[in-house]
Amino acid sequence: MTKKINLFANLNSDFPAGLVVFLVALPLCLGIALASGAPLFSGIISGVVGGIVVGFLSKSHLSVSGPAAGLTAIVLTAITAFGDFRVFLLAAFIAGIIQIILGFIKAGSISNYFPTNVIEGMLAGIGIIIFLKQIPHAFGMDKDFLGDLSFMQNDGKNTFTEIASIVGNINLGSVIITAVSLIILIVWNKIKFLKNLKLVPAALVAVIVGIIINELFIRSGSSLAISAEHLVSLPVPTTFEEFRNILVTPDFTAIGNKQVWIVAATIAIVASIETLLCIEAADRMDVHKRYTDTNVELKAQGVGNLISSLLGGLPMTSVVVRTSANANAGAQSKMSAIIHGVLLMTSALAIPFVLNRIPLATLAAILLLVGYKLANPKIIKHFYEKGKYQFIPFICTLLAVVFTDLLKGVALGIVISVIFILKGNMQRAYSFRKEALLDGDVIHIDLAQEVSFLNKAAIKSTLASIPENSKVVINAFDTVYIAHDVLDLIKEFKKIRSKEENIKVKLVGFKKAYDLVNTGEEEKHVFVEHKTV
């Protein structure tokens, strides 16, 4: 029986968290739409649908969906190629259908095979890139869009050269607002006499104070005043006709265009993988350690993309930045995601002129703390202490996420983890020991319960290293399965090499089906009867 969830049970935690996510999501939606070459409002539509629709349908308690930076290159290329945003919306619509199908065929189960150290490496890597990307915004240089997670930027710069460009481009007003915002975010919940105000999120206080400080700069004519290009820039429709033009629908006449289907499949696959990765990350961040049904999540994402495309919105995924901000703000249920979507919708329609006064420096301060918490040095130390087999995939994933992107970083981490698994399997294929007896040493090779073709290289190397005139016992009494490749090695060793190099070989415990002549039960301990030296 499915446990019923009361969405209103944790409003005292979920509302402040939803408010924080809304403040983070607003500039991200606009920035991703701008980077994608799409109408700015399409990002807001995607955020609203991701919050309300996907938030309601999803079984995840912390995940927040919306337009994703990981899809910007695909979206920009497709819109440019089609030359018509409505044709692109058709591809997004089809992508939604594909995701729903993926959910029904239970493709979400692949998320169970993402190693924990790789997911943690991904989170730490995203944390570092979030932190580094906010540094220019914190100093008032906003050439790159807020929310970009790519090491290589669209303007040809990269994360480090962008930071280096701060020199000579510092906006002192932005620095002051960033510093004040950080102080508020850090101390708000630590001051005892503010306990009664804890329901008011520190991020909201920081935003309000940031707006007030900049308004004082402007009204006093100070050179510290932050200009419009360093503020949130939400489109403000002035007439009903302008508002109606925001909502566009897919061009279904292009349904026969082969390229549309290729783009749709690409979006569906990339968005689904990013979503599954984020869901695994969200479950790791959940203090209650609840698990999400990933197949339901794919269906929810598919429905979200269907509706978003019908309204003129960008395709969406579950997004790590929003999700981590949600978790850090203390969200308890998916109600926070729904609240963030409602706030996006109402504020974009009702108070865009207020939102357009928010300094990007304040939002950068919020994201600086989000990034730091994701990439806390304690996490790196934790995996270092777990040993190289845990640390190497973790740190390689982290570095690859920082210097390439999320998908490439995770792919590298999984490949390294698989290599370590294969290496471990090779080492566990058998135990090798020497027994010193009066009439000469005896080499014992005890095969494991299962010996697969993956163990061929290790066993081959071991047999090749056995010196001439040796005595060898190969024991298969505990073995359930031996691959034919390994059996062939043992047969060749016994029939050919042992005779050529005067090696006495005794095989014990091999099944009759293996077509190997056992020494016999009575000779199982033939060498043990001698007195050990």
Side-chain angles (χ1 to χ4, degrees), residues 221-243:
S222 171
S223 59
L224 298 174
I226 299 175
S227 54
E229 66 265 27
H230 303 298
L231 305 175
V232 170
S233 181
L234 183 65
V236 183
T238 55
T239 64
F240 178 76
E241 186 65 26
E242 286 182 10
F243 176 76

Side-chain angles (χ1 to χ4, degrees), residues 105-141:
I105 64 175
K106 301 189 183 303
S109 301
I110 66 170
S111 65
N112 294 322
Y113 300 97
F114 298 147
T116 298
N117 54 353
V118 172
I119 296 298
E120 292 285 359
M122 176 194 79
L123 284 174
I126 289 175
I128 290 173
I129 201 73
I130 289 173
F131 189 91
L132 294 176
K133 286 288 188 179
Q134 303 322 304
I135 294 174
H137 298 291
F139 284 88
M141 197 176 77

